[in-house]
Amino acid sequence: MKPPDFDYVAPTSIGGAIKALESDSEARLLAGGQSLIPLLAFRMASPTLLVDLARVEGLDHITDHGDRLVIGAMTRQRRAERDSQVAQRCPLLIEALRHVGHTQIRSQGTIGGSIAHADPAAELPGVVVALGGRVHVAGPAGNRTIEAGDLFQGFFNTAMAECDILTAVELPTSGPRNGWSVVEITRRPGDFALCGALCQLQVGDSGHVVDAHLALIGVGDRPMRAVAVEQAILGGASPAEAAELAPEGLTPVNDVHASSDFRLHLTKVTSRRALTQALERAL
């Protein structure tokens, strides 16, 4: 299929990109294009202007600030996946990236593009929520930071304003005795998850869990932090016991891929597997 007609600009600065967005109420940002281009091809999106961020300076970087890792929005997923600094400082992100589509998709897809797209079944929004990260945003009103808990507002919807541009994502770095895991249930390799669990645990000298992070994807209108599971594992519950609490507060949709009840069942399965593997890696 052919996309609708549109104008195209490729600014070289954030300010130029913001001005281009302000010039046309139907403008859309083009980052990696792995979500937008298919929407254009199927005419599910009809922007009159595409604002390409590929030439904007300063958006492609991976910077270690000690207790946090800052990754520019236009950093290609494949670059981050293969980066030794990311592997050492934020291994959960590396494992999540390996579940994103296929190598060809990750070679073009960007870190910021996936997060801003806010697909509730996508891995990178799940990483931001699981780790309690945040994003940096530039817009007509200036620069600001949005915490993970406030960023995702519903299906493909974020707290960013109409002409805002996500410039970077900030993730806490992994400390000593940390374990991590990403477990997904998909119909085929590379598909979006029917349900996925992203987990990071830290154990103390006694071997008990002292810090727990678990997010679920594919079971709501946004990535969901599994607070009840986290509290249970911190309280000494086994992975199997804690995982039984995963469905709390969730109301997944019924669709052609899976029923709501089946997805609720999968939250227990993926949570148990992710907790178990993360704990094994931490010990």
Side-chain angles (χ1 to χ4, degrees):
M1 298 181 69
K2 294 182 178 180
D5 292 336
F6 54 82
D7 292 326
Y8 170 88
V9 294
T12 57
S13 67
I14 286 291
I18 293 171
K19 287 181 180 179
L21 289 175
E22 290 182 297
S23 72
D24 188 334
S25 62
E26 298 299 322
R28 291 284 297 271
L29 286 173
L30 177 64
Q34 299 307 290
S35 298
L36 179 57
I37 297 303
L39 291 176
L40 292 175
F42 285 104
R43 298 205 172 207
M44 297 175 67
S46 301
T48 53
L49 174 65
L50 286 189
V51 182
D52 192 346
L53 296 179
R55 299 181 185 176
V56 175
E57 295 182 2
L59 295 185
D60 182 2
H61 65 88
I62 298 174
T63 309
D64 189 346
H65 289 279
D67 62 341
R68 63 195 191 282
L69 203 63
V70 179
I71 303 176
M74 287 298 291
T75 304
R76 302 291 174 180
Q77 295 165 6
R78 184 64 171 158
R79 177 194 168 190
E81 179 188 354
R82 302 172 71 181
D83 189 278
S84 59
Q85 186 174 230
V86 178
Q88 180 181 7
R89 306 293 283 156
C90 193
L92 182 66
L93 176 59
I94 295 288
E95 185 149 344
L97 283 166
R98 291 171 180 160
H99 287 270
V100 177
H102 303 280
T103 303
Q104 296 90 333
I105 290 173
R106 300 195 297 273
S107 295
Q108 292 298 316
T110 60
I111 297 293
S114 177
I115 294 170
H117 188 56
D119 190 316
E123 292 83 3
L124 297 191
V127 171
V128 178
V129 169
L131 296 181
R134 52 188 177 180
V135 298
H136 300 286
V137 173
N143 299 330
R144 61 192 177 110
T145 299
I146 306 175
E147 301 293 334
D150 301 320
L151 177 61
F152 302 104
Q153 308 260 305
F155 286 107
F156 305 101
N157 188 26
T158 72
M160 292 191 297
E162 191 71 25
C163 294
D164 279 349
I165 298 173
L166 193 154
T167 59
V169 58
E170 185 176 319
L171 299 172
T173 52
S174 179
R177 304 198 70 178
N178 266 273
W180 65 94
S181 180
V182 177
V183 176
E184 290 186 357
I185 305 295
T186 62
R187 290 189 175 275
R188 297 170 301 183
D191 282 0
F192 281 109
L194 299 177
C195 176
L198 301 94
C199 178
Q200 181 167 292
L201 302 177
Q202 183 179 20
V203 299
D205 294 336
S206 64
H208 291 98
V209 177
V210 296
D211 191 28
H213 300 263
L214 181 69
L216 298 168
I217 59 174
V219 291
D221 65 354
R222 69 197 76 183
M224 309 291 286
R225 189 85 176 256
V227 177
V229 177
E230 294 173 348
Q231 292 175 342
I233 203 77
L234 286 170
S238 69
E241 292 168 337
E244 287 296 309
L245 302 175
E248 281 196 11
L250 300 177
T251 53
V253 297
N254 288 295
D255 58 26
V256 296
H257 303 294
S259 69
S260 177
D261 287 343
F262 184 52
R263 281 194 164 96
L264 289 175
H265 167 69
L266 292 181
T267 64
K268 298 180 184 180
V269 174
T270 56
S271 294
R272 173 176 52 80
R273 293 177 183 175
L275 288 166
T276 300
Q277 185 176 51
L279 190 58
E280 290 173 349
R281 286 173 167 170
L283 292 173

